[in-house]
Amino acid sequence: MEESNQFKRVIAHAKEYGFVFPSSEIYDGLSAVYDYGPHGVELKNNIKEYWWKAMVEGYQEIVGIDSAIFMHPTTWKASGHVDAFNDPLIENKDSNKRYRADVLIENHIKKIEAKIEKEILKAAKKWGQQFDRSTFINTSQRVIGYQIKINEIEKRFSSSMKKGDFLDMKLLIEECGIACPDSGSKNWSDIKQFNLMFQTKLGAAQKRASDLYMRPETAQGIFLNYLNVQKTSRLKIPFGIAQIGKAFRNEIVARQFIFRMREFEQMEMQYFIPPGSQQEWYSFWKAARLKWHHAMGLDKENYQFHDHINLAHYADDATDIEFKFPFGFKELEGIHSRTDFDLSSHQTFSGKKISYFDPFTNKTYTPFVIETSIGLDRMFLAIYSACLKEQTLEDASKRIVFELPPYLAPVKLAILPLVNKEELVGFAQEINDKLQWEWAISLDVKDTIGKRYRRQDAIGTPYCVTIDFDSLDDGKVTLRNRDSMKQERIAIDRIKQVVAHKVDMISALKTL
Ligand code: GAP
């Protein structure tokens, strides 16, 4: 499928087949907030299970928690979010559209990078087999010129970000000739800091009510529970704490469907390590997380690392695992070396000692942390974009097939009586009753069998079994495979074994 159209197809398909709906749609929706429908919630739960099993059950030294969304307000002062969880906001005075200034600059750099790629492609075509990419990059005056431009912009951008020098950042936008993507106008406002946390109140009496924040990351719930978990689980460093939960950010520009939302879910893990070992564990978790993605079986070309130039206030190293979404490579997961910033800061603000006595080295220290943080909704969108396919069949007809890894499919087995006749429906119901606790099953009676196959293909059901009149006599059904569309006759007693083998998540996890 062509890339730009693919994104439109994903959004339309997600609504039509009950995966994702705009929130509060009967009131015309709420910007950048979405609800998951009957199939969406199953797919989302399966992704969570794949992550939880890999991260919590897969490591003896990692345990899970589920902390509250509301946390003591000082948490966010200590974590730096009150002072530093800001985005540089710029407004175009003609279109009144608001943008993140840093994103405008990053997109401008990407445009220059695309020009370099174009030069390389042109030269590769011209020189054929003799073409040497690195020689070309180092000698082409045009490419060198572009690269110098990129380096200059990056240097200035990084320095103005670090210093919070928004005047210079605005000048940079103007000097680069960056125009409003909506109107083409270059008439920009000054840049302001915009804090992304949502605020609310705790308690009924307005005067005495205390200000609260909706958590912008789940990680702080882990840091605040570090002492409780370490003591009650009797874990020794290195160990990890994982959690899945909601996070809230008042994003300046929230768009691209469920890619950037104002309410979303994160799957985060904080790995506590001795100071000084952060490079080793950072490399370990980079490799481990990429392997987790690859084990899902989507094309490996979909993934790339993007190391950060501008580090968050808490990090001494950071990278993104980027995914090739229909709108280009974008961040899917962050891996951050968070030093001892959070634990030390909570120690200072709370006055409670947060340290660890290491029985191996006889030293007491504040642990350092490597964090892996993936957006569940983004993972959902990544899988959706890569697995939703339109195929042209031998007879020139088309089918939509959702080639989900079978263990993620919202429905694992569809039971289809060939026609809507009492004996067949009753028999189908008996098979359903026998298997209903094994996996999510759909017993579908309405429409022709062809239409029902298409419907199951479109929601990603790996297998359908069809019950016909012969089934009543020979105890066999027709098993149809979603991907190959091949059909075979099998005994009813074998359905459980065949489907269980196909939808088994554990075999994917065992490759980790
Ligand atoms: N605890 C670290 C942290 O929150 P982050 O890079 O800001 O780091 C981690 O977020 C992940 O959360 C991102 O890689 C992305 O997948 C997801 N995420 C962040 N903001 C999001 C948003 N507005 N909508 C959906 N997912 C988001």
Coordinates of all heavy atoms in Angstrom, one line a residue, residues 216-217 219 249 251 258-261 264 266 268 314 331-334 336 338 371 373-375 378, ligand 1:
P216 N 2.7 12.8 34.2 CA 3.1 12.8 32.8 C 3.9 11.6 32.4 O 4.2 11.4 31.2 CB 3.9 14.1 32.7 CG 4.5 14.3 34.0 CD 3.6 13.6 35.0
E217 N 4.3 10.8 33.3 CA 5.1 9.5 33.1 C 4.8 8.6 34.2 O 4.5 9.1 35.4 CB 6.6 9.8 32.9 CG 7.2 10.4 34.1 CD 8.8 10.4 34.1 OE1 9.4 10.1 33.0 OE2 9.4 10.7 35.1
A219 N 7.0 6.6 35.4 CA 8.3 6.3 36.0 C 8.3 6.7 37.5 O 8.9 6.1 38.3 CB 9.4 6.9 35.2
R249 N -0.4 14.2 29.1 CA 0.4 15.4 28.7 C -0.4 16.3 27.8 O -1.1 15.9 26.9 CB 1.6 14.9 27.8 CG 2.6 14.1 28.6 CD 3.8 13.7 27.8 NE 4.5 12.7 28.6 CZ 5.7 12.2 28.2 NH1 6.2 12.5 27.0 NH2 6.3 11.3 29.0
E251 N -0.2 18.1 25.3 CA 0.7 18.3 24.1 C 0.3 19.6 23.3 O -0.9 19.8 23.1 CB 0.6 17.1 23.2 CG 1.1 15.8 23.8 CD 2.6 15.7 23.8 OE1 3.3 16.6 23.3 OE2 3.1 14.6 24.4
I258 N -3.4 8.1 17.1 CA -3.0 7.7 18.4 C -1.5 7.8 18.6 O -1.0 7.4 19.7 CB -3.5 6.3 18.8 CG1 -3.0 5.3 17.8 CG2 -5.0 6.3 18.9 CD1 -3.3 3.8 18.2
F259 N -0.8 8.5 17.7 CA 0.7 8.6 17.9 C 1.0 9.6 19.0 O 1.8 9.3 19.8 CB 1.3 9.1 16.6 CG 2.8 9.3 16.7 CD1 3.6 8.2 16.6 CD2 3.4 10.5 16.9 CE1 5.0 8.3 16.7 CE2 4.7 10.6 17.1 CZ 5.5 9.5 17.0
R260 N 0.3 10.7 19.0 CA 0.6 11.7 20.0 C -0.8 12.1 20.6 O -1.6 12.8 20.0 CB 1.3 12.9 19.5 CG 1.9 13.8 20.5 CD 2.7 15.0 20.0 NE 3.8 14.6 19.2 CZ 5.0 14.1 19.7 NH1 5.1 14.0 21.0 NH2 5.9 13.7 18.9
M261 N -1.0 11.6 21.8 CA -2.3 11.8 22.5 C -2.1 12.7 23.7 O -1.0 12.8 24.2 CB -2.9 10.5 22.9 CG -3.1 9.6 21.7 SD -3.1 7.9 22.2 CE -4.9 7.7 22.6
F264 N -2.6 8.8 27.4 CA -2.0 7.6 26.7 C -1.5 6.6 27.8 O -1.6 6.9 29.0 CB -1.0 8.0 25.7 CG 0.2 8.8 26.3 CD1 1.4 8.2 26.7 CD2 0.1 10.1 26.6 CE1 2.4 8.9 27.2 CE2 1.1 10.9 27.1 CZ 2.3 10.2 27.4
Q266 N 1.7 4.1 29.1 CA 3.1 3.7 28.9 C 3.4 2.4 29.5 O 2.7 1.9 30.5 CB 4.0 4.8 29.7 CG 4.0 6.1 29.0 CD 4.9 7.1 29.7 OE1 5.0 7.1 31.0 NE2 5.7 7.8 29.0
E268 N 6.7 1.0 31.2 CA 8.0 1.5 31.6 C 8.7 0.5 32.6 O 8.1 -0.2 33.4 CB 7.9 2.8 32.3 CG 7.4 3.9 31.4 CD 7.7 5.3 31.8 OE1 7.3 5.7 32.9 OE2 8.4 6.0 31.0
Y314 N 17.3 14.7 33.1 CA 17.7 13.6 34.0 C 18.7 12.6 33.4 O 19.1 11.7 34.1 CB 16.5 12.9 34.5 CG 15.5 12.4 33.4 CD1 15.9 11.4 32.5 CD2 14.3 13.1 33.2 CE1 15.0 11.1 31.4 CE2 13.5 12.7 32.1 CZ 13.8 11.7 31.3 OH 13.0 11.4 30.2
E331 N 9.8 8.2 16.9 CA 10.0 7.5 18.2 C 8.9 6.6 18.6 O 7.7 6.9 18.6 CB 10.2 8.6 19.3 CG 10.4 8.0 20.7 CD 10.4 9.0 21.8 OE1 10.5 10.2 21.5 OE2 10.4 8.6 22.9
L332 N 9.3 5.3 18.9 CA 8.4 4.4 19.5 C 8.7 4.1 20.9 O 7.8 3.9 21.8 CB 8.5 3.1 18.6 CG 7.8 1.8 19.1 CD1 6.3 2.1 19.2 CD2 8.1 0.7 18.2
E333 N 10.0 4.0 21.2 CA 10.4 3.7 22.6 C 11.7 4.5 22.9 O 12.5 4.7 22.1 CB 10.8 2.2 22.6 CG 11.4 1.7 23.9 CD 11.3 0.3 24.2 OE1 10.8 -0.5 23.4 OE2 11.7 -0.1 25.3
G334 N 11.8 4.9 24.2 CA 12.9 5.6 24.6 C 13.7 4.7 25.6 O 13.2 4.1 26.5
H336 N 16.8 5.3 28.3 CA 17.5 6.5 28.9 C 18.4 6.0 30.1 O 17.9 5.2 30.9 CB 16.4 7.5 29.5 CG 15.3 7.8 28.6 ND1 14.0 7.7 28.9 CD2 15.4 8.4 27.3 CE1 13.3 8.1 27.8 NE2 14.1 8.5 26.9
R338 N 19.4 7.3 33.2 CA 18.8 8.4 34.0 C 19.7 8.8 35.2 O 19.2 9.5 36.1 CB 17.4 8.0 34.6 CG 16.3 8.2 33.5 CD 15.0 7.9 34.1 NE 14.3 9.1 34.7 CZ 13.1 9.5 34.3 NH1 12.4 8.9 33.5 NH2 12.6 10.6 34.9
E371 N 16.4 3.2 32.1 CA 14.9 3.2 31.9 C 14.6 2.7 30.5 O 15.2 3.2 29.5 CB 14.3 4.6 32.1 CG 12.9 4.7 31.6 CD 12.4 6.1 31.8 OE1 12.8 7.0 31.0 OE2 11.6 6.4 32.7
S373 N 11.2 2.8 28.1 CA 9.9 3.4 28.2 C 9.2 3.4 26.8 O 9.7 4.0 25.8 CB 10.0 4.8 28.6 OG 8.7 5.5 28.6
I374 N 8.1 2.6 26.7 CA 7.5 2.5 25.4 C 6.0 2.9 25.5 O 5.3 2.5 26.5 CB 7.6 1.1 24.8 CG1 6.9 0.9 23.5 CG2 7.2 0.0 25.8 CD1 7.2 -0.3 22.7
G375 N 5.5 3.6 24.6 CA 4.1 4.0 24.5 C 3.3 2.9 24.0 O 3.5 2.4 22.9
R378 N 1.4 3.9 20.9 CA 2.3 3.9 19.7 C 2.7 2.6 19.2 O 2.8 2.3 18.0 CB 3.6 4.7 20.1 CG 3.5 6.1 19.5 CD 4.8 6.8 19.9 NE 4.4 8.2 20.2 CZ 5.2 9.1 20.4 NH1 6.5 8.9 20.4 NH2 4.7 10.3 20.8
Ligands
GAP1 N1 9.7 8.1 31.5 C1 10.3 8.6 30.3 C2 9.4 9.1 29.4 O1 8.2 9.3 29.6 P1 9.3 9.9 26.9 O2 10.2 9.7 25.8 O3 8.7 11.2 27.1 O4 10.0 9.3 28.2 C3 8.2 7.5 26.5 O5 8.0 8.9 26.6 C4 7.3 6.9 25.5 O6 6.0 7.3 25.7 C5 7.6 7.5 24.1 O7 8.6 6.8 23.4 C6 6.3 7.3 23.4 O8 6.2 5.9 22.9 C7 5.3 7.4 24.5 N2 4.7 8.8 24.4 C8 5.2 9.9 24.9 N3 4.3 10.9 24.7 C9 3.2 10.4 24.1 C10 2.0 11.0 23.6 N4 1.7 12.2 23.8 N5 1.1 10.1 23.1 C11 1.4 8.8 22.9 N6 2.5 8.2 23.4 C12 3.4 9.0 23.9

